[in-house]
Amino acid sequence: TATDADHDATSSSFAVTVDGSGSILEGGAGDDTINAGTGIDTIVFDADDSHIDGGDGYDTLLITDALTIDFAAVADKATSIEVVDLQQGQVDTIAISLSDVLQMTDGDTTGTLRLNVDDTDNVTLESTDDNANPVTWTTGADTTDGYHTYTGSSIDGTVTLEINTLIDVPQS
């Protein structure tokens, strides 16, 4: 977190570029641009951020301040993300589309995104992509590390969502 002389989080805009592994990046309040570079990083998201690029590696986007999450708006700002962490202890309503996954994971026609949710969260898998094409979601085998898998397919591509087994996601 960027802080001022009194160690209070600042509300200015920042451009942060990091090239290392294991970084926790938080621009603070304001219009921030964050480029994580290579490695395994955690990036703290806020709605005022203008651009977040996870870069190469396995990167987590931490969302702590939302009750209703518009993944289309998040996907417009965040790229090269492999995990979205929503485990902040409040009830979230989450709607996510095949197009959101493709955009966040930088996939042209395929992508995999992992969602860490609380047991009180509600996830909806959108039945159309951004081009209004129908999406078929199927439930796959659970992963060995505790995630349900859901595969979404449309003429625009195929994505896999891995959602921890704390919740079941109804199929649309």
Side-chain angles (χ1 to χ4, degrees):
T1 301
T3 58
D4 62 16
D6 296 323
H7 300 287
D8 296 322
T10 61
S11 60
S12 301
S13 297
F14 290 95
V16 178
T17 300
V18 177
D19 197 13
S21 187
S23 301
I24 297 176
L25 305 169
E26 181 176 0
D31 179 8
D32 305 315
T33 298
I34 299 173
N35 294 303
T38 59
I40 301 169
D41 303 301
T42 298
I43 304 160
V44 180
F45 176 82
D46 72 68
D48 293 330
D49 292 338
S50 59
H51 181 75
I52 293 173
D53 185 347
D56 293 334
Y58 194 78
D59 302 299
T60 299
L61 187 67
L62 178 62
I63 300 176
T64 61
D65 62 354
L67 295 174
T68 299
I69 298 168
D70 177 1
F71 262 94
V74 174
D76 284 342
K77 299 177 180 192
T79 61
S80 296
I81 300 297
E82 288 74 35
V83 178
V84 177
D85 188 343
L86 301 157
Q87 293 179 306
Q88 75 284 359
Q90 61 191 16
V91 178
D92 290 314
T93 300
I94 304 153
I96 190 164
S97 73
L98 177 140
S99 302
D100 299 337
V101 175
L102 288 174
Q103 194 168 348
M104 289 183 74
T105 61
D106 288 340
D108 290 329
T109 59
T110 62
T112 299
L113 184 67
R114 181 170 274 198
L115 296 180
N116 294 328
V117 297
D118 294 319
D119 61 358
T120 56
D121 291 336
N122 300 301
V123 176
T124 301
L125 305 177
E126 299 288 338
S127 61
T128 58
D129 61 24
D130 283 355
N131 295 317
N133 297 312
V135 175
T136 302
W137 291 97
T138 56
T139 304
D142 288 353
T143 66
T144 58
D145 57 345
Y147 289 81
H148 297 305
T149 61
Y150 303 90
T151 301
S153 298
S154 81
I155 63 170
D156 287 341
T158 300
V159 300
T160 300
L161 272 172
E162 297 176 347
I163 303 175
N164 58 342
T165 55
L166 293 174
I167 65 169
D168 289 313
V169 177
Q171 302 297 296
S172 54

